[in-house]
Amino acid sequence: MQEKALVIEDLCKTYRSSKNGDVKAVDHVSFDIDKGEVFALIGPNGAGKTTTIRMVATLLKPTSGNILVDGIPVAEKAEKVREVITYLPDEAGAYKSMTGIGYLQFMASLFTADKEKAKEYVDAACSINKLGDRLKDKIGSYSRGMIRKLLLSRAVMTRPALAILDEPTSGLDIINALDIRRMIRSLAKEGMSFLVSSHNMLEIEYVSDKVGIINKGKLLAVGKAQELKQRCGAENLEEVFEKVVSGDEVF
Amino acid sequence: MKFFSLFKKEVREMLTFQTILSLVFGVLLFIVLGSVMKGVQEDASNQMLEGMGKLAISDQDQSALSQQVLQQMRDQGYQIELLEGSDDEILRAAQEKGYQSALVIPEGFEQGIEKGGEPQKIRLLNEIKGGGMTSLMSGAEGSVEAINDTLSAILIEEGGYEDAAFVRNPVVADEFTYVGDKSVNVSASVLSGLIMMQGIFIPIIVFILVMFASQMTVSAIANEKADKTLETLLCAPVSRFSVLGAKMLAAALVALLQAVVFMFGFRFYMGGMTAGAMEGASGIGTALNTLGLTLGPADYLLVGLQMFLTIMIALCLSTMLGAMANDVKSAQTAVMPIMLLIMVPYFFTLFLDVNTLSGVGKYLLYAIPFTHTFTAANNVMFGNYTVFLGGLAYQAVFFAVLMFLTVKLFNSDKLFTMQLNFGKKKKVAAE
């Protein structure tokens, strides 16, 4: 049996609101990610992508259901899970007063107390982000693309069992976005697993092994991009997305 | 027209609900302060007016002249309470009968007057009970003037004195100021001025420190939330308590450093002030020391400890507000409740001695944890250790509760889902 980097079973998240009553942000969602697989979670705004991702990242507690990361249950052992995951939030920034290298060293020190190991992490990040001498500059002077590269290298430098990337290329120019997609693919080839959220269907087709389409908290379709296109008789993933979300296609 | 559209948009952006709320509160604060101060001033004026016609006097000379002076004063309408005993006993007895001060006509008074030349001293006994502006008000000097005028009139009527200056001012006050059971031969009004200066300085330090620490923390946390660096941190293999603890401890350390620097500065300031007073040959520095109205190293430590607790309370409050704020801009306006909690006791303690207030007002003010910090120095100086330690314990409990709530907030989903808009809670729509 293929080893699983992530298993999500019957996951629910309900927000209590005095104004709108109970709001089901995530409604009985189940899927899994194999080791070395890139899973893309796509859906319209407010579909439940970020809530699902935040639950996997141990930031939010599920109302019900199970999440296992690398076989470790999130509900019982959140701190242990944090040792094997990394999370890159959508439009995340970094500490502007730190230098790029200082930021990587700071983040590495949170993952290991071993200085040698920490240095290994930082070196790995430096070779991934290719920022060179600019790493000695303050992050405040970085462009958006440089910050994203720095953060992505930080997210993968510890070789996590699962890297969670929310909109990894949002706001980036074509060249920077391409660099990052290639980076994800090459790391996946090396065995790293990814849970990615994106609005960019082209990116999803290029980068992901499997796609999950979520809308109004429900996971409506899961499969390889090619399979989904065939099942819907669609030419591209955008058409699949449109048909699934509008309710024309039910899997 | 285009300008008007732009102008309208700018006004609409600036005149937010928060701005209007702070304006309304500011006006309300000044109205309340005004009415309280009016009441206090009226009470003080009434007390002084009442005191003007009433004198507590000990006639230790028992001479014909002293009797004549007292009789003439009675004829003028003065109500005179005659007392006996040592100065200490006289002042206590006078206070029991509702007088704020007492006068002592010493033995040999008549002989001194007959001799002429130097004005004769009448001992004026006063007590300072607290540090508020109103506690330091006294109309005692007026009673010496009344005796002086009466005696002057007698001497003019008798005639035979060549020294006009002496005849006009045959009496001078020899002022003794009491604090508890200690006394010094210094004017109460001069001492009051110094106590006022001390009393004003510490609240200003506290005000600046708390404001600075709160703004710093709120902005730091709101920034971390806006940049999503907080999410990154909380996904790292460290406990949320460590993240919160490190933040609070760092801010507390900076605040503690500030407190130490300010306290050092304050000691220097007070040292310079009392030394200056001593150089002025009035011996006020020694007088303050004798009365115990200066802060010793242990007192500075106690006041510093209370300042530290105050800052920690402010940090807890600002951490919670910062964590719930929508963005950095709203985080800065979210500090308003803390500002109000500081401003109210700041203004009140500036003018009033909270300990002398009665009933609900006193307890309401003491329910605000920052009040205890503003009253700390005066409570320590005047030996009100019960009130001081009570305040310290209250702040410690308040801090413990706030810390518990902050930890709870950091461990809950609310850190990412709840947003604060001045009492209007809103859940973030899930994505």
Side-chain angles (χ1 to χ4, degrees):
Chain A
M1 199 177 109
Q2 175 89 39
E3 278 185 272
K4 301 287 182 190
L6 175 71
V7 177
I8 291 182
E9 293 171 337
D10 219 16
L11 188 66
C12 293
K13 179 70 184 175
T14 307
Y15 289 116
R16 293 249 161 91
S17 162
S18 49
K19 209 173 170 186
N20 307 318
D22 284 358
V23 179
K24 276 193 172 179
V26 176
D27 191 3
H28 299 281
V29 165
S30 300
F31 65 91
D32 54 56
I33 303 175
D34 292 332
K35 290 228 163 146
E37 189 175 68
V38 179
F39 185 99
L41 198 58
I42 58 174
N45 292 332
K49 299 189 298 289
T50 300
T51 302
T52 306
I53 281 177
R54 280 178 165 178
M55 282 192 281
V56 177
T58 75
L59 290 173
L60 296 179
K61 292 183 182 78
T63 307
S64 65
N66 292 317
I67 305 171
L68 291 170
V69 179
D70 206 26
I72 309 163
V74 169
E76 288 87 29
K77 294 178 178 174
E79 274 192 48
K80 200 86 189 148
V81 168
R82 287 185 207 126
E83 289 175 12
V84 297
I85 59 161
T86 51
Y87 173 46
L88 175 61
D90 177 24
E91 292 184 346
Y95 304 103
K96 293 181 178 76
S97 58
M98 283 187 184
T99 61
I101 196 82
Y103 173 72
L104 293 173
Q105 284 163 346
F106 162 67
M107 289 308 292
S109 72
L110 299 182
F111 281 84
T112 179
D114 182 348
K115 283 186 180 171
E116 281 299 310
K117 195 93 187 148
K119 193 178 173 306
E120 266 178 44
Y121 290 161
V122 175
D123 289 345
C126 292
S127 67
I128 293 167
N129 61 45
K130 296 183 179 72
L131 289 171
D133 281 347
R134 288 303 309 271
L135 283 167
K136 291 175 193 158
D137 296 337
K138 291 262 170 73
I139 294 172
S141 69
Y142 285 16
S143 69
R144 202 168 173 178
M146 287 166 75
I147 291 176
R148 206 65 187 158
K149 279 182 180 173
L150 180 76
L151 294 181
L152 194 72
S153 69
R154 185 273 302 163
V156 296
M157 70 181 180
T158 55
R159 299 268 149 187
L162 180 71
I164 306 157
L165 313 177
D166 198 355
E167 303 281 352
T169 60
S170 73
L172 295 187
D173 60 40
I174 297 167
I175 304 295
N176 277 315
L178 263 174
D179 272 355
I180 283 174
R181 282 175 209 143
R182 285 186 188 125
M183 201 189 292
I184 293 170
R185 271 312 332 158
S186 106
L187 288 164
K189 261 187 198 166
E190 291 170 23
M192 201 181 290
S193 311
F194 289 89
L195 171 59
V196 180
S197 141
S198 179
H199 283 111
N200 186 336
M201 298 301 147
L202 190 73
E203 176 173 287
I204 298 297
E205 281 204 67
Y206 176 81
V207 90
S208 64
D209 298 303
K210 223 191 273 175
V211 179
I213 301 175
I214 191 168
N215 191 28
K216 291 177 185 167
K218 289 183 190 292
L219 192 63
L220 302 175
V222 180
K224 290 185 176 173
Q226 196 57 36
E227 284 173 11
L228 294 176
K229 281 193 280 186
Q230 278 173 0
R231 273 197 265 171
C232 292
E235 280 186 17
N236 54 47
L237 209 52
E238 274 178 359
E239 275 181 41
V240 177
F241 181 79
E242 191 186 17
K243 285 183 177 180
V244 171
V245 169
S246 63
D248 291 347
E249 288 290 339
V250 181
F251 291 88
Chain B
M1 194 62 204
K2 283 176 188 170
F3 173 79
F4 185 68
S5 295
L6 285 168
F7 176 72
K8 214 164 77 176
K9 172 236 161 204
E10 293 300 336
V11 170
R12 203 177 291 155
E13 270 188 15
M14 284 176 195
L15 212 60
T16 58
F17 175 69
Q18 289 95 322
T19 322
I20 294 167
L21 196 73
S22 58
L23 272 174
V24 170
F25 186 84
V27 171
L28 282 176
L29 181 71
F30 283 111
I31 290 172
V32 171
L33 265 174
S35 59
V36 169
M37 283 311 295
K38 192 182 164 200
V40 169
Q41 290 284 4
E42 274 173 5
D43 286 351
S45 305
N46 289 340
Q47 231 171 22
M48 279 175 76
L49 281 171
E50 277 173 29
M52 279 171 82
K54 291 164 76 184
L55 297 172
I57 296 179
S58 174
D59 182 8
Q60 294 178 349
D61 193 40
Q62 294 288 337
S63 61
L65 183 62
S66 64
Q67 302 276 347
Q68 191 188 349
V69 169
L70 295 180
Q71 189 50 53
Q72 283 213 7
M73 288 184 74
R74 278 194 195 97
D75 295 343
Q76 287 166 30
Y78 279 95
Q79 192 185 321
I80 293 173
E81 183 81 36
L82 283 172
L83 301 164
E84 283 177 6
S86 65
D87 283 4
D88 205 14
E89 289 164 348
I90 290 164
L91 183 63
R92 298 282 160 256
Q95 284 177 338
E96 274 170 26
K97 291 178 191 293
Y99 295 89
Q100 284 200 309
S101 55
L103 291 166
V104 179
I105 302 174
E107 244 184 275
F109 176 75
E110 187 184 43
Q111 277 182 332
I113 295 290
E114 280 169 359
K115 213 168 131 192
E118 289 295 308
Q120 288 304 294
K121 285 180 177 175
I122 287 184
R123 293 204 294 279
L124 170 60
L125 314 176
N126 248 317
E127 188 176 35
I128 298 177
K129 285 180 176 170
M133 200 180 272
T134 49
S135 303
L136 303 172
M137 285 178 173
S138 166
E141 289 88 351
S143 50
V144 179
E145 271 177 40
I147 291 180
N148 184 70
D149 293 348
T150 310
L151 182 57
S152 178
I154 292 170
L155 296 181
I156 290 167
E157 206 177 293
E158 278 178 4
Y161 290 92
E162 287 174 6
D163 186 351
F166 171 73
V167 173
R168 268 204 309 274
N169 292 302
V171 167
V172 70
D174 187 15
E175 292 193 52
F176 285 82
T177 306
Y178 285 72
V179 172
D181 54 357
K182 292 172 188 159
S183 69
V184 286
N185 189 191
V186 175
S187 156
S189 53
V190 173
L191 284 175
S192 303
L194 273 177
I195 296 164
M196 275 280 296
M197 275 197 267
Q198 290 193 125
I200 285 172
F201 196 78
I202 286 189
I204 290 173
I205 296 174
V206 174
F207 190 79
I208 295 169
L209 277 184
V210 172
M211 288 313 303
F212 184 74
S214 302
Q215 282 285 2
M216 198 170 63
T217 312
V218 162
S219 302
I221 292 186
N223 256 325
E224 284 235 32
K225 261 191 97 176
D227 279 351
K228 299 192 178 172
T229 46
L230 190 62
E231 289 183 41
T232 312
L233 268 189
L234 296 178
C235 288
V238 281
S239 68
R240 288 189 178 190
F241 186 75
S242 305
V243 175
L244 176 68
K247 245 180 223 309
M248 301 271 295
L249 211 64
L253 190 74
V254 175
L256 184 69
L257 264 173
Q258 287 172 327
V260 168
V261 169
F262 275 114
M263 288 312 284
F264 179 78
F266 178 60
R267 269 208 86 165
F268 187 74
Y269 162 82
M270 278 314 294
M273 204 164 69
T274 49
M278 281 173 83
E279 277 165 23
S282 52
I284 291 164
T286 323
L288 283 174
N289 277 325
T290 311
L291 292 174
L293 294 181
T294 51
L295 297 175
D299 296 332
Y300 276 101
L301 199 71
L302 284 174
V303 174
L305 178 68
Q306 193 144 36
M307 229 182 235
F308 179 66
L309 265 179
T310 304
I311 288 162
M312 290 308 289
I313 290 172
L315 286 180
C316 276
L317 280 171
S318 38
T319 301
M320 285 199 279
L321 291 168
M324 290 186 285
N326 293 338
D327 48 44
V328 182
K329 195 183 165 193
S330 66
Q332 276 156 359
T333 37
V335 190
M336 205 179 73
I338 303 176
M339 279 174 69
L340 299 181
L341 282 178
I342 300 167
M343 276 168 75
V344 171
Y346 173 69
F347 279 115
F348 274 98
T349 51
L350 208 58
F351 300 113
L352 297 170
D353 180 3
V354 186
N355 294 328
T356 60
L357 285 176
S358 58
V360 187
K362 180 177 173 178
Y363 294 111
L364 270 178
L365 268 179
Y366 271 140
I368 302 172
F370 301 119
T371 307
H372 300 277
T373 320
F374 293 130
T375 57
N378 276 336
N379 279 334
V380 168
M381 272 197 295
F382 286 94
N384 298 327
Y385 284 101
T386 318
V387 182
F388 173 81
L389 292 172
L392 199 67
Y394 176 66
Q395 283 194 325
V397 171
F398 203 90
F399 167 61
V401 171
L402 279 182
M403 191 66 198
F404 171 76
L405 291 175
T406 314
V407 171
K408 218 176 156 198
L409 175 70
F410 257 70
N411 275 319
S412 74
D413 290 356
K414 286 189 174 70
L415 186 60
F416 298 105
T417 58
M418 199 164 102
Q419 293 183 345
L420 198 71
N421 276 326
F422 280 89
K424 202 170 78 180
K425 289 177 191 172
K426 191 175 81 180
K427 297 277 184 195
V428 181
E431 256 204 29

